[in-house]
Amino acid sequence: MVSIVYLDDEVYLTDIFLCFFKEKRVDLTVFNDEFAAIEFCIANPPDILFVDFRLETLKGDEIAQRVPSQIKKVLVTGDIQIDTRYEFDALVAKPFRLAELLDTVKLLSPGFEMAH
């Protein structure tokens, strides 16, 4: 089973993640608060972190730098121009397609299979 954390300050987007991955073989935790997400990722490093670029206090690249390096990091953004030197493992553009989320999980978690 793959563990995923999704951090976004837009509650409806974290709700979409929860609904979409509900029936899949994932251990999903969502956050709308950057600092709670950072603390969780340090204490319980997930396999994959999906993180929005523009959050209330920090940017996605700042979050990525504060969590353990072994976590695969996926930037989720609607921004056309992003000024970051952090190298993310993948990028998902907003508005995202659900199939793209699943493809990203499969790409970053070889052997991942959905529940039937």
Side-chain angles (χ1 to χ4, degrees):
M1 179 178 293
V2 63
S3 60
I4 298 172
V5 167
Y6 178 46
L7 168 60
D8 200 309
D9 54 352
E10 297 179 70
V11 175
Y12 77 94
L13 291 177
T14 54
D15 287 348
I16 289 171
F17 255 69
L18 284 170
C19 289
F20 179 68
F21 283 108
K22 183 179 181 180
E23 301 299 321
K24 316 270 185 293
R25 285 191 188 171
V26 297
D27 176 15
L28 176 65
T29 308
V30 298
F31 291 93
N32 303 111
D33 174 84
E34 300 101 307
F35 300 101
I38 291 168
E39 286 179 26
F40 181 88
C41 287
I42 290 170
N44 310 286
D47 298 312
I48 303 171
L49 168 65
F50 284 85
V51 60
D52 185 25
F53 186 69
R54 294 194 189 279
L55 298 158
E56 294 289 324
T57 308
L58 302 172
K59 295 217 181 330
D61 53 356
E62 294 173 296
I63 304 287
Q65 292 170 347
R66 294 182 184 203
V67 300
S69 60
Q70 77 266 24
I71 300 171
K72 301 284 187 188
K73 295 160 191 90
V74 180
L75 184 63
V76 182
T77 186
D79 291 342
I80 295 170
Q81 291 277 2
I82 300 170
D83 184 24
T84 181
R85 287 185 173 79
Y86 189 85
E87 191 170 323
F88 286 86
D89 296 288
L91 172 77
V92 172
K94 284 183 181 178
F96 51 74
R97 293 174 298 115
L98 297 176
E100 185 178 9
L101 298 177
L102 197 53
D103 288 345
T104 302
V105 172
K106 288 177 182 176
L107 174 72
L108 297 177
S109 297
F112 169 74
E113 292 185 26
M114 296 185 313
H116 299 294

